[in-house]
Amino acid sequence: MKRKEAYMDDLRPIVYLVGIGMGGEDQLTGRAMDCLEAAQVVMGADRMLDSVSAYTDKKRIFSAYKPSEMVQWLGSFRWDEAALVLSGDTGFYSGAEAAAKAFVREGWDVEFVPGVSSLSYFCARLGKSWQNVHPVSSHGRDCDVVAHIRSFRSCFILLGGAGSVPDLCRQLVSSGMSNVTIWAGENFSYEDERIAWEMTPAELLMEDERLPFGSLACVLVENTEAAEGQLYPQPGPGDDDYIRGQVPMTKKEVRRISLEKLCIGAQAVCYDIGAGTGSVAVEMGMEIRKRGGSGQVYAIERNRQALQLIESNCQKFHGSWMGFHIVEGEAPEAMEGLEPPTHAFIGGSGGHMREIVAALLDANPHVRIVANAITLETVGEILACMKEFEFATGEITQIWAAPVDTVGSYHMPKAQNPVYVAVMQDPKDDGGEIQWQEL
C-alpha cells in the first residue's frame, strides 16, 4: 500500500478520509485498514482515534474536529500520506466533505474511503432492507423531523442531544401521530449496544424513563398513513376544520388558488399579513413541512380575538412546530425586525397596501407577493402598486366560487363574494413601462 517514491517533488501528499463504521474493531473494511497502515499521521476525534489505536502505534496523532486546525497542523511538518478517521460512512451525514474541501485548497490529494453507515448497520440488525428508507439527521442541524415522518412511510433519523428520543416521541403524540411504529438504537457495534424493538411513541417514552437513551441515538420510524405513495392524498383543511369565531377567514377555494400562486418552497419564509383566523398561515406551514423544509411562517395580526384563534389553529394543525410565529401588530410596522420574507400573503391591508408592498420589497426585492381584494378600492390600490413598482410578474385573477349546499331535497349554490387574487414579483429597475390591464 505504501506509495513508491513518497517524497518525490512531483508527488502530492494525500489524505485518506476513512469511514470506520460504527467504531467496533470488526467494522473496518480492508481498504480502510490498508490506508491506516500506510498513513504516517492519523487525525480525528478522540473516540475515533481510540477505535483505530491498533493502527496508530509509533505514528503522529492529532485529536481535532475542525479542518482548519488539521490543515495548520499538517502544514507544520513534512508528510506523504495522512488519514482522517470519521465515524460511519464518509458519504452519510459525515464531516468528510468539508474536510476534503479544506485539504484540496492546500493542494493535497484526497481519497474517500467509505465505511459502514449507521443506516445500513441498523437496518441489517433489524432484518430490514433500506433502499426505500428516507434518511434525515437532526444531529447538529435544523430539521423538522415530524414533517419527514408524516411524508414518508419509513424514515431513519440520526438524533442528537440528550433527551432527543423522548422529545421526538412527545412531538409525534402532539402532532396526532401516536400510532407510528419506532425502533430505537444506540452504541452500535459496541458491547453495550441497545435496540428497542417495534414500539409506539408512548411505549418508547416509558422505555426511556426506565433507561434513558444517550445523546447519540438513531430511530427507524414506520408510518403506514404517510403521504408517500397514497393514491388519494389527504386534501388540505376545509373551512369547517378551522376554529372560526367571529373573525373573517379566507375561504377554501381562494386559499387553494392563493397558495398555488405563492409557489412556496421548502425553505420559504412566509408572511401572512392580516392573518385573521390564521388559515392561510397554517397552510403555508403545511406547504413547507410536507417538503421537509426548515422554512418559517409569520402570522401578523392586530386583532386580539384573531390572535387567540391563530394560536388555537396553529396548535391544532402544527402542534409544537417551532417554525410558526404569531406577531401582534399592524403591518408594515409589525414587520420590523422579522427575518426577510421570500413569500407574502396580504389578506388584509387596512388601507396600507402601498406601504406594505414597499416594506416587503425593502426587506427582499425578490419577495413573491399574493394579495386578496374584495372591494374595488383595494383592487385600485393593488393596480396602483403594479403601476408604480412595474413588476415583471403582475397579474390579477377574479374568483367567484359558489359551493353547492343540500337543502332538503334541493341542491342550492351558496354564493360567496367575488375575490380578486393578485400576484406581484420582481419590480422593474430600468424605468421601462410594462403592459398591464385596466379593470
Side-chain angles (χ1 to χ4, degrees):
M1 170 65 192
K2 183 72 174 178
R3 298 198 305 174
K4 294 180 179 180
E5 301 175 352
Y7 296 104
M8 288 176 59
D9 291 339
D10 60 345
L11 190 62
R12 299 198 303 180
I14 185 169
V15 183
Y16 304 111
L17 306 176
V18 181
I20 63 171
M22 302 300 97
E25 294 181 3
D26 58 348
Q27 292 289 301
L28 290 174
T29 65
R31 178 61 178 163
M33 295 178 193
D34 288 343
C35 292
L36 288 170
E37 287 177 349
Q40 295 108 25
V41 295
V42 182
M43 305 170 292
D46 285 335
R47 186 169 67 90
M48 311 307 154
L49 291 171
D50 289 343
S51 297
V52 297
S53 59
Y55 298 89
T56 59
D57 187 38
K58 297 180 181 179
K59 296 183 179 182
R60 288 194 179 191
I61 299 172
F62 185 52
S63 175
Y65 290 91
K66 299 179 179 179
S68 59
E69 294 177 354
M70 300 176 196
V71 167
Q72 185 176 5
W73 181 69
L74 289 173
S76 66
F77 60 94
R78 188 179 181 87
W79 55 276
D80 179 52
E81 295 175 86
L84 168 59
V85 289
L86 302 135
S87 64
D89 178 64
T90 52
F92 187 70
Y93 295 108
S94 171
E97 186 175 10
K101 291 178 180 177
F103 298 150
V104 169
R105 282 197 296 267
E106 299 299 313
W108 305 331
D109 287 333
V110 168
E111 180 183 332
F112 287 80
V113 182
V116 179
S117 71
S118 52
L119 168 59
S120 60
Y121 181 93
F122 194 23
C123 286
R125 293 286 284 114
L126 300 179
K128 293 177 174 288
S129 60
W130 55 270
Q131 68 264 22
N132 294 319
V133 173
H134 176 70
V136 294
S137 174
S138 65
H139 179 54
R141 63 183 65 224
D142 230 359
C143 180
D144 186 355
V145 173
V146 172
H148 287 276
I149 294 171
R150 193 185 299 279
S151 298
F152 296 94
R153 292 179 64 88
S154 184
C155 282
F156 171 85
I157 303 123
L158 284 167
L159 297 173
S164 56
V165 170
D167 281 350
L168 173 61
C169 292
R170 294 188 189 97
Q171 289 178 46
L172 289 169
V173 171
S174 69
S175 300
M177 303 174 67
S178 57
N179 293 324
V180 300
T181 304
I182 308 178
W183 292 259
E186 63 179 346
N187 302 324
F188 293 152
S189 82
Y190 292 95
E191 290 183 0
D192 58 346
E193 177 179 287
R194 175 189 178 196
I195 295 177
W197 288 75
E198 203 166 340
M199 296 182 175
T200 65
E203 291 169 340
L204 188 55
L205 271 172
M206 290 188 288
E207 170 66 15
D208 183 78
E209 288 179 2
R210 182 187 69 82
L211 181 61
F213 282 88
S215 61
L216 295 175
C218 302
V219 295
L220 182 72
V221 185
E222 291 187 354
N223 178 16
T224 57
E225 298 178 358
E228 179 187 41
Q230 288 186 1
L231 184 59
Y232 302 104
Q234 186 72 22
D239 293 344
D240 293 337
D241 294 324
Y242 287 97
I243 303 167
R244 298 275 299 271
Q246 300 301 313
V247 176
M249 183 179 75
T250 303
K251 297 299 189 293
K252 177 180 69 176
E253 292 77 14
V254 179
R255 286 200 306 275
R256 296 290 181 272
I257 292 175
S258 297
L259 287 161
E260 181 180 347
K261 298 285 189 183
L262 277 166
C263 306
I264 296 172
Q267 311 305 323
V269 176
C270 300
Y271 289 5
D272 180 3
I273 299 171
T277 60
S279 61
V280 173
V282 163
E283 296 186 39
M284 283 172 158
M286 290 179 174
E287 291 294 315
I288 292 169
R289 299 187 74 192
K290 74 183 180 182
R291 292 168 174 79
S294 58
Q296 307 288 311
V297 175
Y298 293 87
I300 302 168
E301 177 57 55
R302 64 182 180 181
N303 183 288
R304 288 293 180 88
Q305 182 184 0
L307 289 165
Q308 294 174 356
L309 290 173
I310 295 169
E311 186 173 358
S312 298
N313 283 314
C314 171
Q315 181 62 40
K316 178 178 180 179
F317 291 99
H318 287 296
S320 58
W321 181 47
M322 300 299 291
F324 197 103
H325 312 275
I326 300 174
V327 181
E328 181 177 1
E330 186 171 6
E333 291 79 14
M335 295 156 45
E336 294 179 7
L338 304 181
E339 61 182 306
T342 59
H343 301 72
F345 174 77
I346 306 175
S349 64
H352 303 296
M353 181 67 69
R354 194 265 172 206
E355 292 86 348
I356 292 171
V357 170
L360 290 169
L361 293 174
D362 284 342
N364 176 12
H366 300 292
V367 62
R368 187 170 180 86
I369 303 168
V370 169
N372 283 182
I374 296 176
T375 68
L376 294 180
E377 285 76 13
T378 305
V379 174
E381 291 180 52
I382 292 171
L383 288 170
C385 287
M386 288 184 171
K387 189 170 187 178
E388 176 182 350
F389 295 106
E390 298 184 321
F391 292 100
T393 298
E395 62 180 57
I396 298 181
T397 303
Q398 186 191 58
I399 303 167
W400 199 338
V404 175
D405 282 353
T406 301
V407 181
S409 58
Y410 295 94
H411 296 81
M412 300 179 61
K414 187 177 180 180
Q416 299 176 355
N417 290 326
V419 178
Y420 297 87
V421 179
V423 182
M424 297 173 276
Q425 188 175 22
D426 292 329
K428 292 280 187 177
D429 57 5
D430 58 5
E433 295 187 358
I434 61 171
Q435 297 295 321
W436 57 288
Q437 183 178 356
E438 295 278 4
L439 294 182

